[in-house]
Amino acid sequence: MKKVIILFFISVSLLTACEKKEGYVTVQNKVHNTVLNQISWDNHFLGTSLLPGIKSQEATIIDKKESFPKNGVVKFYMQRGDNQVYLETKCSFSLDIDQHLLIVISDTTSVINPMTSE
């Protein structure tokens, strides 16, 4: 009987150690007269196109429990008229287990173009 109980606790420990957890990310475009295209956070694709004032669908980020919290910048193409430029946020955004993270990109969000930055 003791062996069965010990095996049970070992099995439960192994299952919880490999347990997958999730968090949720949404991006909102608050940049005036500008469309955000091909939006991603920490290599997770969030949407193809966001008009001003619109939020992306909530993306579920699933990974092993020990890999949280996750950190990443938002990457996107900013389009105004016929002009488009690739940008990344300067600051990183952190996502923890079961968190619903809303990232707002606005006129005052600090961004860089890594292709031209040194």
Side-chain angles (χ1 to χ4, degrees):
M1 183 66 170
K2 287 184 180 180
K3 289 181 182 180
V4 171
I5 293 173
I6 291 171
L7 286 174
F8 173 76
F9 282 115
I10 290 172
S11 298
V12 169
S13 297
L14 288 174
L15 289 174
T16 57
C18 298
E19 186 178 349
K20 293 199 175 197
K21 293 292 184 176
E22 54 192 42
Y24 312 90
V25 178
T26 306
V27 172
Q28 183 174 17
N29 178 7
K30 286 200 171 181
V31 182
H32 291 86
N33 301 319
T34 302
V35 177
L36 303 183
N37 295 312
Q38 303 302 314
I39 307 146
S40 64
W41 170 82
D42 185 43
N43 298 320
H44 297 278
F45 184 72
L46 300 178
T48 56
S49 184
L50 285 180
L51 296 170
I54 304 298
K55 291 180 186 177
S56 68
Q57 290 187 1
E58 188 173 64
T60 303
I61 311 300
I62 301 172
D63 210 336
K64 293 180 182 173
K65 182 177 179 180
E66 61 272 3
S67 71
F68 283 92
K70 293 183 161 299
N71 293 297
V73 297
V74 178
K75 304 170 188 176
F76 56 92
Y77 286 90
M78 180 181 281
Q79 180 180 352
R80 183 174 287 170
D82 292 336
N83 299 320
Q84 182 169 274
V85 63
Y86 175 78
L87 298 171
E88 296 180 3
T89 57
K90 280 187 178 180
C91 70
S92 181
F93 296 90
S94 180
L95 175 69
D96 210 346
I97 295 171
D98 294 329
Q99 180 183 3
H100 292 265
L101 175 63
L102 173 61
I103 302 170
V104 177
I105 306 296
S106 70
D107 294 326
T108 59
T109 301
S110 295
V111 294
I112 61 168
N113 180 334
M115 306 306 260
T116 61
S117 299
E118 295 179 17

